[in-house]
């Protein structure tokens, strides 16, 4: 019988069982690294560095995990905070304004050599919409869980998902079938 | 234009599984070492409590008279009964020791998939 995340967390808390924490890392490394690759617009080296930092912070702060939410939701929150702190450090512009986004996704200006696929369209979204789409539509989090991960109101999450979806649909429609 | 459900399904399918490729090992190598309790302290506390408990029992029992009387009573029992009693005590203590050992050994715990 496979141990649940809650069982593994309990072993880490009670027995300082690093073997159990290793199993948690193995289980969640793909989704955490995938999320961070989306946030960093496929900068794989940066995403993996942030993912490593995420799991190390999770281990150091595992006593603050109360079990009210899923362990994966708690991990996503740490990952998102790592990303934001890194972006602040790099003084990255964390949002693309609407005019710039419109210019980027205008089919007349898009480089025909670039792949016109869903993941590319996703990377063109502003950060707040891209994050909401990745968490809710790709990783299956509820709007409530996503609002806790991102520390923003529930209504804002819903708006970002709605707008993100509409933009993706318009972009894919403009590019036409592959 | 595609509907929400189709878009979400395509998003999920487009998200590739990221192979571990040593990522977990790199994370584990960077974890801080698990703090170790000083084992001698635990032994001192246990032995101290055992001695304290023995001393209190000796004083309250009037110099251990109950032990002498208990031994005299035991000597009156048949040998086979004493052997069964000793074997039973040994089984109980052994079973308890095995359970504690399994709980403390992660590798055996995973293989046995036992839950206590």
């Amino acid at each position: 019988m496979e141990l649940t995340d809650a069982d593994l967390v309990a072993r880490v808390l009670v027995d300082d069982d690093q073997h159990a924490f290793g199993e948690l890392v193995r289980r969640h490394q793909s989704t955490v690294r995938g999320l961070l690759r989306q946030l960093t617009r496929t900068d794989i080296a940066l995403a993996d560095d942030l993912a490593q930092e995420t799991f190390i912070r999770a281990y150091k702060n595992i006593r603050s995990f109360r079990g009210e939410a899923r362990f994966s939701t708690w991990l996503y929150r740490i990952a998102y905070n790592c990303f934001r702190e890194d972006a602040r450090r790099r003084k990255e512009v964390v949002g693309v304004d609407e005019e710039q986004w419109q210019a980027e996704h205008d089919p007349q200006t898009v480089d025909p050599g670039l792949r016109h696929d869903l993941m590319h369209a996703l990377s063109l979204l502003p950060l707040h919409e891209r994050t909401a789409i990745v968490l809710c539509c790709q990783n299956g989090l509820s709007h409530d869980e996503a609002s806790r991960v991102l520390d923003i109101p529930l209504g804002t999450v819903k708006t970002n998902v709605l707008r993100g979806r509409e933009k993706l649909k318009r972009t894919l429609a403009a590019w036409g079938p592959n | 234009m595609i509907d929400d459900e189709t878009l979400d399904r395509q998003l999920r399918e487009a998200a590739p599984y990221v192979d571990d490729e040593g990522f977990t090992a790199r994370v584990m190598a960077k974890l801080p070492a698990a703090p170790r309790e000083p084992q001698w302290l635990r032994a001192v506390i246990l032995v101290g409590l055992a001695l304290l408990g023995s001393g209190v029992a000796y004083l309250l029992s009037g110099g251990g008279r109950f032990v002498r009387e208990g031994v005299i009573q035991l000597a009156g029992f048949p040998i086979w009964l004493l052997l069964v009693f000793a074997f039973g005590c040994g089984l109980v203590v052994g079973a308890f020791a095995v359970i504690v050992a399994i709980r403390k050994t992660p590798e055996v715990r995973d293989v046995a998939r036992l839950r206590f």
Side-chain angles (χ1 to χ4, degrees):
Chain A
M1 181 168 48
E2 195 176 84
L3 296 174
T4 64
D5 284 354
D7 294 334
L8 292 169
V9 170
R11 288 191 182 183
V12 177
L13 284 170
V14 174
D15 298 330
D16 267 328
D17 187 351
Q18 290 199 347
H19 182 78
F21 189 77
E23 178 58 28
L24 286 168
V25 176
R26 259 185 296 275
R27 282 186 191 180
H28 296 284
Q29 59 86 25
S30 176
T31 49
V32 169
R33 290 162 78 195
L35 168 67
L36 286 165
R37 286 179 183 190
Q38 291 296 336
L39 294 181
T40 59
R41 288 194 167 102
T42 66
D43 184 339
I44 292 175
L46 175 60
D48 280 3
D49 283 345
L50 293 175
Q52 206 169 80
E53 175 66 23
T54 297
F55 284 108
I56 291 171
R57 277 197 203 180
Y59 180 76
K60 287 179 179 174
N61 296 295
I62 196 129
R63 292 188 190 280
S64 68
F65 175 64
R66 293 185 192 89
E68 294 157 351
R70 287 187 289 173
F71 183 73
S72 55
T73 306
W74 186 67
L75 271 182
Y76 290 149
R77 187 181 167 114
I78 296 173
Y80 184 68
N81 287 340
C82 285
F83 167 77
R84 275 199 315 186
E85 288 167 21
D86 180 78
R88 242 179 263 131
R89 269 199 304 270
R90 293 163 180 266
K91 291 184 181 164
E92 181 176 300
V93 175
V94 295
V96 176
D97 62 38
E98 282 301 302
E99 286 177 9
Q100 187 175 355
W101 182 84
Q102 292 295 337
E104 282 180 359
H105 101 289
D106 183 350
Q108 302 301 318
T109 60
V110 170
D111 183 344
L114 286 178
R115 53 192 178 92
H116 293 178
D117 62 12
L118 182 54
M119 299 312 283
H120 181 52
L122 185 60
S123 73
L124 295 177
L125 291 178
L127 176 64
H128 48 284
E129 290 169 7
R130 189 164 80 244
T131 313
I133 292 287
V134 170
L135 288 174
C136 296
C137 305
Q138 209 169 50
N139 287 294
L141 267 68
S142 65
H143 292 150
D144 186 52
E145 286 174 320
S147 90
R148 275 188 263 164
V149 168
L150 302 172
D151 197 24
I152 56 178
L154 180 61
T156 307
V157 171
K158 290 180 179 176
T159 302
N160 289 338
V161 170
L162 193 67
R163 285 185 183 159
R165 272 192 180 133
E166 290 308 311
K167 286 178 184 172
L168 281 176
K169 288 177 190 176
R170 284 207 305 269
T171 303
L172 294 171
W175 286 347
N178 288 329
Chain B
M1 218 180 272
I2 61 174
D3 58 283
D4 288 351
E5 209 174 295
T6 305
L7 178 62
D8 288 0
R9 183 175 46 78
Q10 288 179 352
L11 281 165
R12 284 192 298 273
E13 288 168 3
Y17 175 79
V18 182
D19 286 328
D20 192 283
E21 293 176 334
F23 176 81
T24 299
R26 288 194 293 278
V27 169
M28 298 309 290
K30 291 202 166 185
L31 291 185
R36 300 229 172 267
E37 288 175 357
Q39 295 296 323
W40 61 265
L41 182 61
R42 185 180 288 186
V44 164
I45 291 170
L46 285 174
V47 169
L49 285 173
L51 287 174
L52 183 65
S54 302
V56 168
Y58 181 82
L59 290 172
L60 291 178
S61 67
R65 193 174 58 241
F66 77 97
V67 175
R68 196 167 50 246
E69 288 169 4
V71 170
I72 291 169
Q73 280 182 0
L74 271 177
F77 289 167
I79 291 290
W80 66 268
L81 188 60
L82 290 175
L83 283 173
V84 167
F85 180 70
F87 186 67
C89 287
L91 272 181
V92 168
V93 171
F96 186 69
V98 166
I99 289 170
V100 170
I102 286 175
R103 289 190 73 177
K104 290 285 184 186
T105 311
E107 292 78 12
V108 174
R109 217 167 31 206
D110 289 343
V111 169
R113 298 283 193 263
L114 294 174
R115 301 183 75 172
F116 297 98

